[in-house]
Amino acid sequence: MNPKIVNSIQKIEATFIDNNFALTLDAVSIDSRSLQNGSQTLFFALVGSNIDAHIYVEDLIDVGVRNFVVTHIPKNCETKANFYVVKDTLMALQDFAAQYRSFFDFPIIGITGSNGKTIVKEWLNFLLSPDFNVIRSPKSYNSQVGVPLSVIAINEQHNLGIFEAGISVSTEMKNLQKIIKPTLGVLTNIGSAHDEGFINLDEKIKEKMSLFQTAETVIYQMDEKIESFIFPIANAFTWSFINKDADVFVTKKKIAELTILNIQHRKEHFDVKIPFQDQASIENAISCLMVLLYFKYDQQTIQNRMQLLFPVEMRLKVKNGINNCSIIDDSYSSDFQSLKIALDFLESQKQSGNKTVIISDIFQSGLTMDELYSKVSDLIISNKISRVIGIGETISEYKHKFENCVTYQNTAEFIADYENVDFSNESILIKGARSFQFEQIVQLLEEKTHETVLEINLNAISYNLNFYKAKLKPNVKIMVMVKAFGYGNGGFEIAKLLEHHKVDYLGVAFADEGISLKNLGIQLPIMVLNPENTSFSAIIQYQLEPEIYSLKGLRAFLKIAAQKELKHFPIHIKIDTGMHRLGFEANTIDELIAALKGNQTVKVKSILSHMATSDDMQHIEFANSQIDLYEKLSSKLIRELQIQPIRHLMNTSGISNFPNAQYDMVRLGIGLYGISNGSEEQKKLENVGTLKSIISQIRAIPAGDSVGYGRKFMAVKPTTVATIPIGYADGIARGWGNELGFVTIKNKKAPIIGNVCMDMLMVDVTEIDCKEGDAVIIFGQSPTVNEIARALNTIPYEVLTSISQRVKRVFYRE
């Protein structure tokens, strides 16, 4: 039990409903899906714009949670747990975290800015952890929810905190300031991120600087505008490239792959090497160096540690592994808080019932080793991990705390024994501190790497799903379409995430798509929208649910159902209301009723139709006529057959444009993947897929030379040409070439020149400072899929679904 959690919850403003359950609290949770929830969990039922966690309280009670913070007590739960009833559960979480923070008195570094917060935090952790027991924000937990969860992880053994604070609108920082209460402030770069949330730059700077109102010192790059918002109580500790009046004056020069910083601080002059040359990394490194100077580190220590800085990977990635394995790559950090996050992610993305964790020694827990590895063991057990492979001297000593565990003293020892360890048909979390170089293990277990990948942001999918859920009326179910390989984004991985989010149905086009998902362990009901009669036996075998759209198809299915002696097998009846593609027309409804009346082999699970113009309000009269006909025909079926089916009519566009026709369920398709037909709605969705490649080769050609097949591009001046290994066989339309389309390199547009080839395309990089191996964005934030579709006079569906399956999909969570 953690008495500080108990004391903190008792100090927030709440009405306590005591049902005599023990307050033996040891953890705080906001995620109803986490396998780590249990009898010692205090659960905050947060209410967001897209989802209300109160609906999961009863499920949490079933798994043993007995203490909740709620705005109201859900029905049927009144006596089953203790409840702290508050006006706003997010505010209660923040007040709780502020109370918890007040129990600790040691230096706290608070970091804010537009860019670089997470990188500076991770680098400071690396630079300071040899001398401090550091608690820091896990990942990029810098939001209104992330900050309190980060601070609640403090324990008695920590003696330095590093927390980042991110805001997107005015007035948010005051909530984070009362939780973090930094003693030292670090302001990183002030850029354009989230500008839309502020009236002007002054308001943005003022809001960010308010984090430091109780800080003793604030570190920032000297700037008159910033200085006007420094609170009188704080000491400014400034640096500059141009102003020698700054506390630290920095000059720089680039040599090979390094940058040498010359530091002038008081009477000291010394050089520091850092392994970066881009401006953002240089500025972030100087912010860290300033903290070392603040803590009075000597020159030699600063020089030794700064040259070891490294690129920070801020994402958990899902990768295809050898022998039908999937890999969760978290091979750059190993601390208790991030382990909890990674295990939750493993559960949401597991592709097999077997789960293996490869884990290094764990650092900076603030606990004794015995306490730490007991807690890690509890996490492993609660997450139902099948096998543990521990690497490191310390975890080897505590091997006895884990079931089915093998340990190695170091990574080299594991690699030497790799051939003797069986990896097949399992999900593998690789979780290691950077010093263990677990990227070597990832390389061993990962399938052959590809230069061209489609990166899928699982956070964005979750966000878009909840965005549309928030538009639904109470009790309206949601079917999500994962047909066509998840609109080109990947079928199973997205289906698994949707199962984690407890959607009601999945929709596929053909039986083989559904069979594949069932074989991979998806348990959600799956509707097959375009079943062929020859697939009916397989549909029955794999417990899929067919859409029936014709009398011929119905009679064929009823015949097979009778032969197999089925009883109440679910089917879905589609009626044609004007799309004129598939479905029972009005003049066949009586025959349909006659065929189904009294038949016990099948059960009409739902009645559906398809809108032809839900995305185009110019055809609103036609759309309303479809709705009216659907209402008439579905009501007749319900009445004559005396059934209570799910009724569903609306697709993505219809969810927003025709909210009064949501019926019992809606079908979410392209919207899940961040594409909307409405320009205003598009602004509110998050980009899901980013198609990336690299520069294979760069060449300079003189004026008069041509590029590509057919000499479609003729250089009118000396031109620098980059070749990218992606072409029309990968799904890039040939029409996107010849300077109509572009890619993005180093945040600049590079026009596609000449014809797109089967496996390659060429771009003009004359005005871009780039080199072979640099990253290339084919689509994502720029160009967007919508931009490409408009230029090609097609629709985003075609652009997305054209991406070949030979393009590797990489799934990640921020």
Side-chain angles (χ1 to χ4, degrees):
M1 186 180 83
N2 185 338
K4 290 182 173 60
I5 292 179
V6 177
N7 291 335
S8 298
I9 189 60
Q10 291 175 340
K11 290 184 179 181
I12 70 168
E13 189 173 334
T15 300
F16 182 47
I17 308 301
D18 186 357
N19 283 313
N20 296 315
F21 291 97
L23 282 170
T24 53
L25 303 174
D26 191 44
V28 172
S29 175
I30 61 166
D31 186 353
S32 63
R33 301 157 301 184
S34 175
L35 295 180
Q36 297 157 29
N37 293 320
S39 60
Q40 293 190 310
T41 299
L42 173 64
F43 186 85
F44 284 78
L46 299 187
V47 181
S49 58
N50 296 330
I51 196 163
D52 183 349
H54 288 78
I55 65 176
Y56 302 121
V57 167
E58 191 168 10
D59 292 340
L60 287 161
I61 290 172
D62 289 342
V63 298
V65 180
R66 289 295 180 268
N67 291 279
F68 295 87
V69 181
V70 295
T71 58
H72 62 279
I73 301 175
K75 188 178 179 181
N76 301 324
C77 298
E78 292 84 354
T79 61
K80 297 178 180 178
N82 298 329
F83 295 96
Y84 293 87
V85 183
V86 299
K87 292 181 179 179
D88 184 309
T89 47
L90 175 57
M91 289 180 59
L93 175 65
Q94 293 171 344
D95 291 342
F96 169 84
Q99 291 287 348
Y100 190 88
R101 162 73 175 88
S102 68
F103 289 116
F104 300 93
D105 183 21
F106 53 73
I108 298 286
I109 302 172
I111 306 170
T112 193
S114 299
N115 310 105
K117 297 183 292 293
T118 301
I119 291 171
V120 169
K121 178 202 67 186
E122 292 298 324
W123 282 352
L124 284 176
N125 174 66
F126 168 76
L127 294 166
L128 297 171
S129 58
D131 311 301
F132 293 92
N133 200 338
V134 179
I135 175 70
R136 73 191 193 281
S137 312
K139 308 297 180 186
S140 52
Y141 270 38
N142 60 26
S143 66
Q144 299 290 299
V145 175
V147 168
L149 293 177
S150 300
V151 167
I152 293 165
I154 301 174
N155 65 44
E156 289 79 0
Q157 303 305 315
H158 293 123
N159 57 13
L160 177 68
I162 310 174
F163 299 107
E164 55 176 301
I167 57 172
S168 54
V169 297
S170 180
T171 74
E172 283 187 335
M173 190 62 85
K174 65 180 181 181
N175 302 324
L176 306 185
Q177 190 281 329
K178 71 180 183 182
I179 301 169
I180 299 175
K181 290 183 180 173
T183 57
L184 172 64
V186 177
L187 181 68
T188 64
N189 171 272
I190 295 289
S192 59
H194 302 297
D195 273 358
E196 66 277 6
F198 303 92
I199 297 171
N200 52 37
L201 182 61
D202 282 359
E203 183 186 56
K204 184 177 184 177
I205 294 172
K206 181 179 180 181
E207 181 73 10
K208 288 189 178 289
M209 294 300 290
S210 68
L211 174 64
F212 308 133
Q213 60 185 271
T214 59
E216 299 167 2
T217 301
V218 180
I219 292 170
Y220 61 94
Q221 185 175 8
M222 182 174 271
D223 184 291
E224 289 182 3
K225 190 176 284 290
I226 292 173
E227 286 170 358
S228 65
F229 295 106
I230 287 282
F231 289 87
I233 193 172
N235 296 312
F237 188 32
T238 62
W239 66 273
S240 178
F241 289 123
I242 56 176
N243 193 332
K244 291 190 175 182
D245 291 332
D247 296 298
V248 177
F249 181 66
V250 184
T251 57
K252 60 184 178 179
K253 60 181 178 180
K254 298 178 181 180
I255 299 177
E257 298 297 317
L258 305 176
T259 299
I260 298 178
L261 304 174
N262 180 258
I263 307 300
Q264 299 179 37
H265 174 48
R266 296 175 181 165
K267 296 180 180 181
E268 295 181 310
H269 288 250
F270 60 97
D271 288 341
V272 173
K273 294 179 182 177
I274 57 173
F276 306 100
Q277 291 195 332
D278 63 286
Q279 187 64 20
S281 294
I282 291 170
E283 292 185 7
N284 291 333
I286 294 171
S287 292
C288 295
L289 185 147
M290 294 291 288
V291 173
L292 297 181
L293 291 173
Y294 171 83
F295 281 116
K296 296 182 170 53
Y297 277 79
D298 62 81
Q299 290 182 23
Q300 190 66 50
T301 302
I302 292 173
Q303 290 168 330
N304 290 342
R305 294 186 186 178
M306 291 290 293
Q307 66 183 346
L308 298 176
L309 292 180
F310 48 86
V312 174
E313 176 58 75
M314 292 177 285
R315 306 182 303 188
L316 284 162
K317 290 184 178 180
V318 184
K319 301 177 177 179
N320 292 327
I322 61 171
N323 303 328
N324 200 33
C325 291
S326 62
I327 298 170
I328 310 295
D329 181 1
D330 196 5
S331 57
Y332 58 91
S333 68
S334 183
D335 58 89
F336 187 70
Q337 285 303 108
S338 65
L339 175 62
K340 294 170 70 174
I341 295 168
L343 286 169
D344 278 340
F345 185 61
L346 171 64
E347 177 61 23
S348 73
Q349 280 298 301
K350 71 175 189 289
Q351 300 185 15
S352 167
N354 294 322
K355 295 183 288 184
T356 290
V357 172
I358 302 176
I359 186 170
S360 75
D361 289 346
I362 296 174
F363 302 126
Q364 302 159 337
S365 70
L367 302 168
T368 67
M369 289 301 169
D370 192 70
E371 290 175 312
L372 170 61
Y373 286 99
S374 293
K375 282 182 169 288
V376 173
S377 175
D378 290 342
L379 278 182
I380 295 293
I381 291 169
S382 66
N383 279 271
K384 301 175 183 176
I385 302 303
S386 312
R387 174 175 59 163
V388 176
I389 297 175
I391 298 178
E393 295 178 1
T394 306
I395 198 170
S396 295
E397 290 181 23
Y398 291 90
K399 174 182 176 181
H400 62 278
K401 291 187 176 288
F402 303 94
E403 293 183 5
N404 195 19
C405 176
V406 60
T407 60
Y408 298 88
Q409 291 294 304
N410 51 54
T411 304
E413 186 178 309
F414 167 79
I415 291 173
D417 192 46
Y418 167 71
E419 295 295 337
N420 299 316
V421 185
D422 178 48
F423 293 101
S424 61
N425 301 302
E426 58 192 308
S427 297
I428 307 167
L429 170 62
I430 301 177
K431 178 76 175 152
R434 186 171 185 84
S435 58
F436 283 83
Q437 298 181 314
F438 271 16
E439 62 271 18
Q440 298 177 57
I441 298 176
V442 174
Q443 290 170 7
L444 282 175
L445 292 174
E446 188 181 8
E447 281 186 333
K448 182 180 179 294
T449 58
H450 297 248
E451 294 174 330
T452 299
V453 297
L454 179 60
E455 291 189 346
I456 310 299
N457 185 338
L458 296 174
N459 295 77
I461 287 180
S462 297
Y463 174 88
N464 294 337
L465 172 66
N466 288 329
F467 173 81
Y468 283 104
K469 274 187 173 181
K471 291 178 173 286
L472 302 183
K473 295 183 177 182
N475 302 317
V476 173
K477 300 178 186 295
I478 189 164
M479 173 187 288
V480 180
M481 311 308 296
V482 291
K483 61 183 181 177
F485 195 51
Y487 289 73
N489 291 282
F492 169 72
E493 292 83 0
I494 292 173
K496 188 65 187 175
L497 179 64
L498 295 172
E499 188 168 59
H500 194 60
H501 280 293
K502 301 181 180 179
V503 303
D504 300 285
Y505 260 92
L506 298 179
V508 298
F510 299 104
D512 56 353
E513 295 175 309
I515 291 169
S516 176
L517 293 177
K518 287 292 186 180
N519 281 334
L520 289 167
I522 296 298
Q523 300 297 313
L524 286 175
I526 299 174
M527 177 177 160
V528 182
L529 280 81
N530 304 321
E532 299 162 319
N533 291 5
T534 55
S535 69
F536 284 157
S537 292
I539 284 173
I540 293 168
Q541 178 184 348
Y542 286 94
Q543 294 296 297
L544 303 173
E545 301 181 16
E547 173 190 289
I548 303 296
Y549 51 81
S550 70
L551 287 168
K552 179 182 177 182
L554 175 62
R555 288 170 182 143
F557 191 82
L558 289 177
K559 181 179 179 180
I560 293 174
Q563 291 171 349
K564 294 182 179 294
E565 299 182 348
L566 301 180
K567 196 164 183 67
H568 302 307
F569 193 91
I571 63 172
H572 302 262
I573 299 297
K574 184 169 190 177
I575 52 181
D576 181 6
T577 57
M579 182 80 164
H580 295 332
R581 188 173 65 179
L582 293 174
F584 290 92
E585 295 180 292
N587 60 6
T588 63
I589 294 297
D590 288 338
E591 286 185 85
L592 171 63
I593 291 170
L596 288 173
K597 196 170 254 186
N599 192 302
Q600 298 297 306
T601 60
V602 296
K603 176 183 179 180
V604 178
K605 193 71 175 289
S606 81
I607 301 173
L608 67 148
S609 188
H610 200 96
M611 299 291 287
T613 61
S614 64
D615 60 336
D616 189 349
M617 300 309 284
Q618 292 183 27
H619 296 287
I620 190 168
E621 289 186 12
F622 181 79
N624 284 328
S625 73
Q626 278 199 269
I627 295 169
D628 292 342
L629 183 57
Y630 175 76
E631 174 64 31
K632 176 184 174 182
L633 297 181
S634 63
S635 295
K636 182 176 181 178
L637 284 169
I638 291 169
R639 184 174 61 253
E640 294 289 333
L641 296 174
Q642 297 184 356
I643 55 176
Q644 294 183 316
I646 299 167
R647 292 200 283 179
H648 49 114
L649 176 62
M650 289 301 162
N651 55 5
T652 295
S653 300
I655 292 171
S656 301
N657 292 338
F658 296 93
N660 292 327
Q662 291 177 356
Y663 285 96
D664 305 307
M665 185 163 73
V666 296
R667 301 188 299 272
L668 177 61
I670 197 76
L672 183 76
Y673 308 99
I675 305 294
S676 172
N677 291 302
S679 57
E680 290 304 310
E681 184 169 278
Q682 182 64 59
K683 296 175 184 176
K684 299 174 184 176
L685 298 176
E686 293 192 355
N687 179 65
V688 168
T690 300
L691 183 58
K692 290 184 174 181
S693 192
I694 65 167
I695 297 174
S696 293
Q697 190 174 38
I698 294 176
R699 73 186 69 244
I701 64 172
D705 273 19
S706 63
V707 174
Y709 287 117
R711 305 193 75 199
K712 295 296 184 181
F713 175 81
M714 302 292 294
V716 297
K717 61 181 181 179
T719 303
T720 305
V721 180
T723 300
I724 318 298
I726 185 171
Y728 59 76
D730 301 290
I732 307 303
R734 288 186 79 247
W736 188 231
N738 294 313
E739 298 176 86
L740 175 66
F742 67 92
V743 302
T744 299
I745 300 172
K746 295 292 184 72
N747 296 316
K748 294 182 178 180
K749 290 183 179 181
I752 299 173
I753 54 178
N755 282 319
V756 173
C757 306
M758 180 181 287
D759 307 299
M760 286 169 277
L761 56 84
M762 289 70 73
V763 298
D764 182 349
V765 293
T766 306
E767 304 299 325
I768 302 174
D769 181 15
C770 58
K771 61 183 183 298
E772 293 175 1
D774 279 351
V776 178
I777 304 298
I778 309 299
F779 66 63
Q781 295 290 357
S782 178
T784 67
V785 170
N786 278 320
E787 282 182 272
I788 297 173
R790 282 194 296 269
L792 295 173
N793 195 29
T794 184
I795 57 176
Y797 297 76
E798 184 175 355
V799 177
L800 280 177
T801 57
S802 293
I803 302 306
S804 166
Q805 291 193 37
R806 81 174 188 175
V807 173
K808 182 181 178 181
R809 271 68 174 173
V810 173
F811 300 84
Y812 70 90
R813 179 171 289 175
E814 298 286 1

